[in-house]
Amino acid sequence: MCRCAAPLLCIIQHRIPPMIVRSLPVAFTRYFGSTTRLCKDYSIIGREPIKIPPAVTITPSSAAVNIAGPLGVTSVPLKDYMKVDFANPSTLKLTVQDGSEKLQRQMWGTTRTLISNAITGMTDGFSVPLYLVGVSYRVSLEEDHRGTTDGGNGQRLNLKLGYSHPIFVPIPSYIKAEVPSPTKIILFCTDKHLLGLFAAKIREYRKPEPYKGKVSNHAFPMVFSVVLTVCVGRFCWKRNNTHQEYEEEIETFGCPFMFPAFKL
């Protein structure tokens, strides 16, 4: 049990009078995690080595790491306090000068993740499915009459999301889109960040509606709404499509009674 909850549990179980409680020398200690206290000199993610596939060529420099693969070439910038080491030809390891500094420790794990994502993007790529859930929601892939003048690939998405007009979304040159069904879109890109930005842009045209379940969402075909209750340890989860309620009561602090619940 957490140290900060132990004094409160003692007060609830033994029914200590308030006058005595005020005079008790209670010391509260807040512990929210063990990572900060145990990992002060290194990053758990940053110290992990990265496996290099045989089809990928990595060329490090003082300012960036160049990655070439079957799907293209990309680079990840490096800070001046970072260094790339090769334990063996198929393993890459990133290090920093002083892991005790907070900024270096943060950028250590971030840069390591960016390099790993770049290697995955140059070999396999990333894909995101988008599902259109709603009455008469449709999508089609068609040719863009503007061509590639605005940085697109010559195609656009024709979205019908319940408005009085269709929505045309030009597809950028670095994105490949497929529409296998009228309610599903599959996006593919070698850059995970750019792929997420474009998927979020499409999602903005019709955000998830938590009551009726209408949504243009990516990778989440089912939508759940949470109905909180004003109670100690009581939660009510409500499912949209079947309207079935599931309640889970948890006794908090070992207390044998529960407060009355009021749904928000």
Side-chain angles (χ1 to χ4, degrees):
M1 180 178 295
C2 181
R3 294 186 181 182
C4 60
L8 183 59
L9 174 61
C10 179
I11 294 172
I12 293 177
Q13 288 182 345
H14 299 283
R15 303 293 194 275
I16 301 177
M19 296 180 63
I20 302 178
V21 172
R22 297 191 188 98
S23 61
L24 288 177
V26 180
F28 291 91
T29 305
R30 303 176 66 185
Y31 293 117
F32 297 102
S34 59
T35 303
T36 305
R37 293 182 290 121
L38 297 178
C39 309
K40 293 185 178 180
D41 298 332
Y42 60 89
S43 170
I44 297 178
I45 298 177
R47 67 175 182 174
E48 292 296 325
I50 303 174
K51 294 183 179 180
I52 304 174
V56 174
T57 303
I58 296 181
T59 306
S61 64
S62 59
V65 175
N66 299 320
I67 303 170
L71 299 182
V73 180
T74 186
S75 63
V76 177
L78 296 178
K79 300 294 183 179
D80 54 356
Y81 48 78
M82 294 181 180
K83 183 181 179 182
V84 176
D85 298 327
F86 293 92
N88 53 67
S90 62
T91 304
L92 181 147
K93 192 172 183 180
L94 184 67
T95 58
V96 295
Q97 292 180 359
D98 188 2
S100 60
E101 293 188 8
K102 184 177 180 180
L103 179 60
Q104 294 191 22
R105 192 166 59 250
Q106 291 174 344
M107 294 304 300
W108 189 4
T110 301
T111 307
R112 189 265 177 200
T113 303
L114 293 177
I115 295 175
S116 178
N117 289 340
I119 293 175
T120 304
M122 293 299 103
T123 53
D124 301 328
F126 299 95
S127 62
V128 171
L130 289 89
Y131 299 90
L132 276 66
V133 182
V135 178
S136 72
Y137 284 14
R138 296 292 182 269
V139 61
S140 61
L141 185 64
E142 60 186 24
E143 296 294 331
D144 192 353
H145 66 277
R146 296 179 299 178
T148 59
T149 55
D150 296 335
N153 62 357
Q155 293 180 326
R156 67 181 182 182
L157 295 173
N158 186 352
L159 299 172
K160 297 179 181 179
L161 302 177
Y163 298 108
S164 60
H165 59 280
I167 299 174
F168 300 102
V169 183
I171 302 175
S173 58
Y174 50 83
I175 297 268
K176 294 181 181 179
E178 297 180 0
V179 182
S181 65
T183 58
K184 183 178 180 180
I185 309 171
I186 298 179
L187 302 177
F188 177 83
C189 184
T190 58
D191 193 319
K192 189 176 182 179
H193 177 65
L194 297 177
L195 179 64
L197 290 178
F198 185 70
K201 178 182 177 180
I202 298 177
R203 190 170 181 261
E204 284 292 325
Y205 290 109
R206 177 66 75 176
K207 293 183 179 180
E209 203 275 326
Y211 297 101
K212 296 182 181 180
K214 294 182 179 180
V215 60
S216 62
N217 202 2
H218 56 84
F220 297 103
M222 301 186 66
V223 185
F224 291 87
S225 64
V226 180
V227 183
L228 298 179
T229 58
V230 183
C231 179
V232 178
R234 174 175 291 181
F235 301 94
C236 175
W237 300 82
K238 183 177 180 182
R239 188 173 179 178
N240 288 316
N241 53 355
T242 58
H243 298 286
Q244 297 178 357
E245 296 185 357
Y246 303 92
E247 294 187 357
E248 178 185 7
E249 296 186 358
I250 305 172
E251 290 186 358
T252 308
F253 306 137
C255 184
F257 59 88
M258 299 294 293
F259 296 98
F262 300 91
K263 293 184 178 180
L264 295 177

